[in-house]
Amino acid sequence: DVESLVMMGNIRKTGLALKAGTGWTGKNPETIKYIKKRQTQIELAQNRSFFSLWDQIIKDIVKYSNSFLVKVRDTETSGGSIRTIDEKELEPVTAYFHLMPETAQVVRDEFGKILKYRQKLPSGKYRDFKPEDVIHFTFNRKGGFFVGTPTLVPVIDDIRALRRIEENIELLVYQHLFPLFQYKIGTD
């Protein structure tokens, strides 16, 4: 957030990712019609456009290599229908809300199975979410890891070195800005 070169790079990457806009394409026009209908319902329920949600996802992916969305489910306020997955009945999604990656944690068992997602709140308390209610987008995820490694990690030391060099040059300029001259007049 405070490193100007990194911030400008992140802004450019986000702009390029969203440059063409968003849209739905597919072979079946009925499916596209249904998706657009559900998108409109979800936008109304969450009081936020899908584009702004995509914008936040892209910003998180660029900055953290991770992004999280929490699903809010409710049969009465959603236009979708109840689905069964792995013998579990899931209510339809009413809205998606952004979960800040800085506050997100994953609780896993000893075998790596996700038990729950957890959000650490500013008060120090936690809010838990079921795994089926969270969408986790990753980029640059290494094998055996659950989260993506931010692309900034390899250049942090370079940025620190650059800032130290700038500080040393600033001190050098400051020390030699007003040089002291000593004149000796005459000879022995």
Side-chain angles (χ1 to χ4, degrees), residues 43-80:
E43 286 176 337
L44 289 171
Q46 65 193 16
N47 198 24
R48 182 179 186 180
S49 72
F50 244 68
F51 184 80
S52 68
L53 198 60
W54 282 118
D55 180 59
Q56 191 61 57
I57 292 167
I58 298 297
K59 285 178 182 175
D60 286 349
I61 292 287
V62 167
K63 192 171 182 181
Y64 305 109
S65 294
N66 293 280
S67 186
F68 297 89
L69 291 182
V70 177
K71 300 174 190 176
V72 176
R73 297 177 184 275
D74 187 10
T75 308
E76 293 178 22
T77 57
S78 175

Side-chain angles (χ1 to χ4, degrees), residues 29-188:
E30 289 300 315
T31 303
I32 299 301
K33 185 178 175 182
Y34 174 76
I35 290 172
K36 288 180 178 180
K37 176 183 162 193
R38 289 289 291 131
Q39 176 181 333
T40 303
Q41 292 170 351
I42 290 170
E43 286 176 337
L44 289 171
Q46 65 193 16
N47 198 24
R48 182 179 186 180
S49 72
F50 244 68
F51 184 80
S52 68
L53 198 60
W54 282 118
D55 180 59
Q56 191 61 57
I57 292 167
I58 298 297
K59 285 178 182 175
D60 286 349
I61 292 287
V62 167
K63 192 171 182 181
Y64 305 109
S65 294
N66 293 280
S67 186
F68 297 89
L69 291 182
V70 177
K71 300 174 190 176
V72 176
R73 297 177 184 275
D74 187 10
T75 308
E76 293 178 22
T77 57
S78 175
S81 57
I82 295 174
R83 296 181 301 133
T84 304
I85 296 178
D86 296 331
E87 299 178 14
K88 262 188 183 178
E89 280 194 358
L90 297 175
E91 290 185 16
V93 175
T94 300
Y96 294 98
F97 292 98
H98 175 251
L99 178 63
M100 293 174 19
E102 303 100 319
T103 65
Q105 299 174 354
V106 182
V107 179
R108 297 164 66 171
D109 66 10
E110 59 196 48
F111 303 108
K113 182 182 176 194
I114 301 168
L115 300 175
K116 60 186 165 185
Y117 287 85
R118 176 172 276 177
Q119 180 185 23
K120 186 172 184 182
L121 302 170
S123 64
K125 295 181 181 180
Y126 294 95
R127 181 186 299 157
D128 293 335
F129 303 101
K130 297 178 206 170
E132 61 266 16
D133 290 339
V134 176
I135 301 173
H136 181 194
F137 300 94
T138 63
F139 174 73
N140 196 25
R141 183 169 66 180
K142 294 177 175 60
F145 287 87
F146 181 73
V147 295
T149 304
T151 53
L152 186 62
V153 168
V155 297
I156 289 175
D157 290 336
D158 297 336
I159 292 170
R160 287 184 182 139
L162 177 66
R163 294 301 170 218
R164 277 194 307 272
I165 290 169
E166 286 178 346
E167 184 180 346
N168 289 337
I169 290 172
E170 184 180 353
L171 289 171
L172 188 65
V173 168
Y174 178 74
Q175 288 173 353
H176 298 286
L177 186 60
F178 302 106
L180 297 175
F181 294 104
Q182 181 179 8
Y183 294 101
K184 290 185 178 181
I185 301 174
T187 61
D188 290 341

